[in-house]
């Protein structure tokens, strides 16, 4: 038998066997954690990606045996807590991912550990609250309430109280809630003729996402304006729920399944009617493209949705290849520091946002392709805030070096985190969709 040092094939993923009894067997989980941790300890290539791997290696180096077998099984949880499922180790660093015989899938092993813990002990009130994006958004955007919530999130006294009672770090800049939700104010234009291309369907359904609906509706409005300018008929879903990513990161897989039952039937119907489905948040796109198909590998509706799902810039660049994208840009953008979010990178479609931004005359794009360290709710929590800023420090520096006019990321939360990490900066934070809208002069 030949043992290879690394795999030359493209990474593949096995379905997540989350409904089996073995998946939740703690003894079997500990055995698999020890096996994978031994491989990671012997390799250490991922030490600079996040704080999960340094935590593991510090535990090993402080153990009496200087090996993984000297680490207490209880301390394995310390490694799990530091993993926020960015997938970068799997997609860019680890040489032992499937189809390699060692079958290392570190992020999904961490997900399994989170799911086992959630089933056994549930989660903190704070974690349940932060991951309940629909409930939080509906409550926080009630008229009058929204002004109070936004003011409270900027109050030092209130934020100090939030840190003590909820564990939300007082220094984390939080997104405001919108006074008017996107889905209440959006006017999608479906009047254009359908022009299918070789690479793209000629009509679009927009899954707005919790974040765009409740926090930054302007991103969704800008997407609709870009589609209308390019004469692509568009519509919104009649109803939608959270994609499930926050609950996935918590390990609450049953909640993910419940949201899937709300979203997938309507999305699958649109997919089969020939719509491209666009989501303006990379984590949501990834949820439908990758995580749900791995959780429900035999569900034909889930597969249909995954095949119809596009990142907005993936769709727009493919429209350009179909000679169906207008390039009548009227306004240069100057210098743009653009960050590629992890959940966009792992979709394996290339840097489509950068490609489109570079089509705009008078625009110079500096691309930073590294994890910024926020990851949804992880960087909000008091115990992880400092680590999130530490992970992001190289990104903050690289984004600032170009002295940009704009700081931009497809992940709006990462964009805010980066601007906070940069400190005093003259750059504006704008989503890439907004930048293209500005360049069109819309």
């Amino acid at each position: 038998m030949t043992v290879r040092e690394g795999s030359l094939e493209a990474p593949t993923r096995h379905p997540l066997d989350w409904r089996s009894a073995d998946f939740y067997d703690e003894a079997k989980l500990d055995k698999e954690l020890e096996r994978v941790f031994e491989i990671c300890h012997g390799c250490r290539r991922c030490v600079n990606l996040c704080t999960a791997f340094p935590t593991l290696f510090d535990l090993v180096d402080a153990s009496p045996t200087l090996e993984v077998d000297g680490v207490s099984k209880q301390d394995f949880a310390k490694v799990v807590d530091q993993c926020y499922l960015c997938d970068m180790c799997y997609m860019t660093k680890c040489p032992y991912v499937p189809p390699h015989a060692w079958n290392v899938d570190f992020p999904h092993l961490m997900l399994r550990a989170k799911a086992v813990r959630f089933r056994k002990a549930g989660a903190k009130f704070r974690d349940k609250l932060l991951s309940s994006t629909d409930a939080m958004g509906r409550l926080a955007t009630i008229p009058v309430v929204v002004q109070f919530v936004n003011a409270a999130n900027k109050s030092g006294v209130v934020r100090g109280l939030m840190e003590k009672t909820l564990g939300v770090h007082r220094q984390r800049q939080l997104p405001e809630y919108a006074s008017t939700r996107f889905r209440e104010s959006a006017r999608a234009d479906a009047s254009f003729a359908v022009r299918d291309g070789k690479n793209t369907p000629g009509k679009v359904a927009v899954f707005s996402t919790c974040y765009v609906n409740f926090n930054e509706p302007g991103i969704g409005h800008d997407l609709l304006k870009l589609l209308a300018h390019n004469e692509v008929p568009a519509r919104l879903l009649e109803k939608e729920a959270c994609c499930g990513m926050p609950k996935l990161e918590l390990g609450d897989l049953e909640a993910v399944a419940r949201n899937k039952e709300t979203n997938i039937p309507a999305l699958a119907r649109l997919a089969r009617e020939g719509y491209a489905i666009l989501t303006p948040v990379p984590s949501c796109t990834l949820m439908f493209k990758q995580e749900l198909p791995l959780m429900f590998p035999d569900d034909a509706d889930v597969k249909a949705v995954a095949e119809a799902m596009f990142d907005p810039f993936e769709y727009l660049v493919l429209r350009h290849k179909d000679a169906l994208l207008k390039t009548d840009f009227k306004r240069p953008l100057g210098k743009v520091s653009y960050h590629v979010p992890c959940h966009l990178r792992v979709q394996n479609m290339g840097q489509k946002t950068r490609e489109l931004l570079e089509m705009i005359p008078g625009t110079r794009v500096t691309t930073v392709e590294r994890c910024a360290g926020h990851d949804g709710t992880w960087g909000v929590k008091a115990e992880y805030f400092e680590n999130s800023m530490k992970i992001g420090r190289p990104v903050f520096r690289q984004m600032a070096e170009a002295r940009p006019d704009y700081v931009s990321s497809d992940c709006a939360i990462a964009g805010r985190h980066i601007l906070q990490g940069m400190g005093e900066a003259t750059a504006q934070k704008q989503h890439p969709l907004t930048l293209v809208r500005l360049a069109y002069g819309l």
Side-chain angles (χ1 to χ4, degrees), residues 5 18 42 72-73 90 94 97 132 184 186 326 362 378 382 435 439:
E5 176 60 24
W18 67 282
S72 167
K73 298 292 190 295
Y90 189 93
C94 181
V97 299
S132 299
E184 292 175 353
K326 293 182 180 180
W378 190 80
L435 292 179

Side-chain angles (χ1 to χ4, degrees), residues 241-311:
C242 174
C243 69
M245 183 62 82
K247 294 297 185 184
L248 184 88
E249 293 172 343
L250 189 60
D252 186 357
L253 302 186
E254 293 294 345
V256 174
R258 289 193 295 272
N259 284 10
K260 172 254 185 189
E261 290 302 322
T262 299
N263 289 321
I264 289 296
L267 287 169
R269 186 167 57 253
L270 291 168
R272 292 193 173 101
E273 290 175 5
Y275 283 87
I277 304 168
L278 273 57
T279 69
V281 174
S283 296
C284 305
T285 316
L286 182 68
M287 193 71 195
F288 290 111
K289 277 187 175 183
Q290 173 179 288
E291 301 300 345
L292 288 178
L294 290 171
M295 286 182 66
F296 303 95
D298 300 320
D299 191 315
D301 283 354
V302 169
K303 183 178 180 182
V305 172
E307 291 173 349
M309 187 68 58
F310 289 83
D311 168 81

Side-chain angles (χ1 to χ4, degrees), residues 80-389:
V80 176
D81 287 340
Q82 295 297 324
C83 177
Y84 42 82
L85 307 179
C86 73
D87 251 14
M88 282 296 95
C89 57
Y90 189 93
M91 297 304 300
T92 69
K93 283 280 189 178
C94 181
Y96 305 120
V97 299
H100 192 277
W102 289 358
N103 189 30
V104 174
D105 186 339
F106 191 90
H108 277 178
L109 180 58
M110 298 299 101
L111 173 60
R112 179 183 174 189
K114 292 172 189 285
V116 169
R117 178 166 57 189
F118 184 87
R119 174 170 283 196
K120 180 181 180 180
K124 295 178 182 178
F125 173 75
R126 174 206 57 191
D127 297 344
K128 290 181 180 179
L129 187 70
L130 291 175
S131 62
S132 299
T133 51
D134 282 328
M136 286 274 289
R138 282 192 292 268
L139 177 63
T141 54
I142 294 173
V144 181
V145 174
V146 66
Q147 284 84 6
F148 172 78
V149 171
N150 289 335
N153 282 341
K154 295 177 181 177
S155 165
V157 174
V158 174
R159 292 300 301 275
L161 185 63
M162 285 173 64
E163 182 169 322
K164 289 180 181 179
T165 57
L166 288 178
V168 173
H169 200 282
R170 69 182 70 196
Q171 293 179 26
R172 169 59 66 202
Q173 292 179 9
L174 299 174
E176 289 192 353
Y177 283 96
S179 56
T180 303
R181 301 170 189 171
F182 170 71
R183 286 177 57 79
E184 292 175 353
S185 58
R187 299 292 179 266
D189 191 342
S191 65
F192 305 105
V194 175
R195 294 181 297 163
D196 292 326
K198 180 181 178 181
N199 300 289
T200 52
K203 55 186 178 180
V204 161
V206 174
F207 182 89
S208 64
T209 77
C210 308
Y211 186 83
V212 168
N213 191 31
F214 298 122
N215 296 105
E216 290 197 47
I219 296 171
H221 291 302
D222 287 342
L223 174 57
L224 293 180
K225 288 176 182 177
L226 298 187
L227 293 171
H229 183 69
N230 284 284
E231 300 177 1
V232 178
R235 60 170 292 177
L236 303 183
L237 273 71
E238 292 180 8
K239 69 172 185 176
E240 64 180 66
C242 174
C243 69
M245 183 62 82
K247 294 297 185 184
L248 184 88
E249 293 172 343
L250 189 60
D252 186 357
L253 302 186
E254 293 294 345
V256 174
R258 289 193 295 272
N259 284 10
K260 172 254 185 189
E261 290 302 322
T262 299
N263 289 321
I264 289 296
L267 287 169
R269 186 167 57 253
L270 291 168
R272 292 193 173 101
E273 290 175 5
Y275 283 87
I277 304 168
L278 273 57
T279 69
V281 174
S283 296
C284 305
T285 316
L286 182 68
M287 193 71 195
F288 290 111
K289 277 187 175 183
Q290 173 179 288
E291 301 300 345
L292 288 178
L294 290 171
M295 286 182 66
F296 303 95
D298 300 320
D299 191 315
D301 283 354
V302 169
K303 183 178 180 182
V305 172
E307 291 173 349
M309 187 68 58
F310 289 83
D311 168 81
F313 283 91
E314 177 187 21
Y315 180 80
L316 293 171
V317 169
L318 288 173
R319 291 297 277 181
H320 181 63
K321 291 181 179 178
D322 289 333
L324 294 170
L325 184 79
K326 293 182 180 180
T327 56
D328 55 337
F329 300 112
K330 297 178 174 61
R331 174 180 164 183
L333 298 175
K335 293 185 288 185
V336 178
S337 281
Y338 164 63
H339 168 255
V340 191
C342 298
H343 282 174
L344 189 62
R345 291 173 67 188
V346 300
Q347 292 177 41
N348 280 332
M349 62 183 189
Q351 295 183 5
K352 297 296 186 287
T353 304
R354 176 189 57 78
E355 285 185 46
L356 186 47
L357 291 175
E358 288 182 340
M359 294 180 197
I360 301 167
T363 301
R364 192 174 81 191
V365 182
T366 299
T367 303
V368 177
E369 194 175 15
R370 184 177 178 131
C371 182
H374 190 291
D375 184 73
T377 63
W378 190 80
V380 169
K381 300 172 185 178
E383 63 268 37
Y384 306 127
F385 173 77
E386 294 299 337
N387 276 349
S388 77
M389 300 303 286

